[in-house]
Amino acid sequence: MSGAIQVNGVSRVFGVKGGDVVALEQVDLTVAEGEFVSLIGPSGCGKSTLMRLVADLDQPTRGTIEVFGKTPSAARKNRDYGIAFQQAGLLPWKTVEANIQLPLKLHGVAAPARRARSAELLELVGLSDFAGHHPDQLSGGMQQRVAIARALAEQPKLLLMDEPFGALDEITRERMQTELTRICAETGAAVLFVTHSIPEAVYLSDRVVVMSPRPGRIVDIVDVATLGDSSDRTDAVREDEGFFHTVAQVRELLHGAPVTGARGVENR
Ligand code: ADP
Ligand code: MG
């Protein structure tokens, strides 16, 4: 069983003027198929670096990474994953529909099939009425939903999301979280998700990976199984006692304080 992502003993050292920057040190992590895993940690702890390594946008200094049992490069060529980062990254001169169809077009999918797929995705992210709009005619949350639809265009079994909701206001953000949970339930995709928000990580995830300041290492992994499967959570979970408890637990790990009465914490 190879799972969706397997990171083995990965370090990434950047050679810069005045010495080396150790962005990641000895990171081991697995993400199972269909599992939702969040990375949380202080700014500069290597979250984006890890994401970029998995996405084949950078190479580890040491260690190996497998995506569905393949090298990240083979997985990229096989279009095994979709990417959504903090900036929606839409092409402003293209319509919403054309933005969503872009990866399909690049890979030679014929126009009728592209249209059918983008209609389906627009429905999924609740933007059917905006197919012909341009990105600057949409709110930040709507643009981010278009970016997610585009990431899903090729039906990837894995989504790599680096602070995708970072630029959104709190209300829109919670809506997007609920939306993402629903999309994951419908598509069965695994997700590796970077966020600065503890409640966001806890609400969305099966497991929350807490990272330390540079050099980025995994401090602990908090199992959120007490809140049920990540793909069938409802907004009610946010009021749950177990939710508050897990949020507190992650917060303590981030601040380096000992956790007392830890429930559902596992060292892996
Ligand atoms: P995070 O996403 O957790 O905020 P990053 O992964 O972006 O952190 O960065 C981790 C560390 O690696 C930072 O100290 C950053 O300055 C450094 N770093 C990232 N990319 C490069 C690069 N291309 N060259 C040099 N240093 C880098
Ligand atoms: Mg980052």
Side-chain angles (χ1 to χ4, degrees), residues 43-49 86 162-163 194 196:
S43 183
C45 76
K47 303 180 295 296
S48 295
T49 299
Q86 178 162 12
D162 193 345
E163 299 189 46
V194 171
H196 274 125

Side-chain angles (χ1 to χ4, degrees), residues 12 14-16 21-24 41-52 58 162-163 194 196 211 214:
R12 177 65 171 105
F14 292 105
V16 291
V21 174
V22 183
L24 290 173
S43 183
C45 76
K47 303 180 295 296
S48 295
T49 299
L50 183 54
M51 199 60 111
R52 291 172 51 80
D58 186 20
D162 193 345
E163 299 189 46
V194 171
H196 274 125
M211 295 179 66
R214 224 156 19 94

Side-chain angles (χ1 to χ4, degrees), residues 183-242:
I183 289 169
C184 289
E186 279 180 36
T187 64
V191 185
L192 184 61
F193 190 91
V194 171
T195 178
H196 274 125
S197 161
I198 302 173
E200 177 167 278
V202 172
Y203 176 73
L204 290 172
S205 308
D206 292 303
R207 288 187 298 145
V208 178
V209 176
V210 180
M211 295 179 66
S212 67
R214 224 156 19 94
R217 292 195 192 95
I218 294 178
V219 174
D220 214 332
I221 300 182
V222 177
D223 205 316
V224 197
T226 43
L227 300 182
D229 194 304
S230 69
S231 60
D232 48 48
R233 286 191 196 146
T234 60
D235 273 342
V237 164
R238 299 182 198 275
E239 315 269 306
D240 196 286
E241 195 201 325

Side-chain angles (χ1 to χ4, degrees), residues 5 9 32 36 51 60 67 74 101 138 166 176 230 238 240:
I5 303 175
F36 199 117
M51 199 60 111
V67 179
Q101 290 183 20
L138 306 180
M176 292 295 297
S230 69
R238 299 182 198 275
D240 196 286

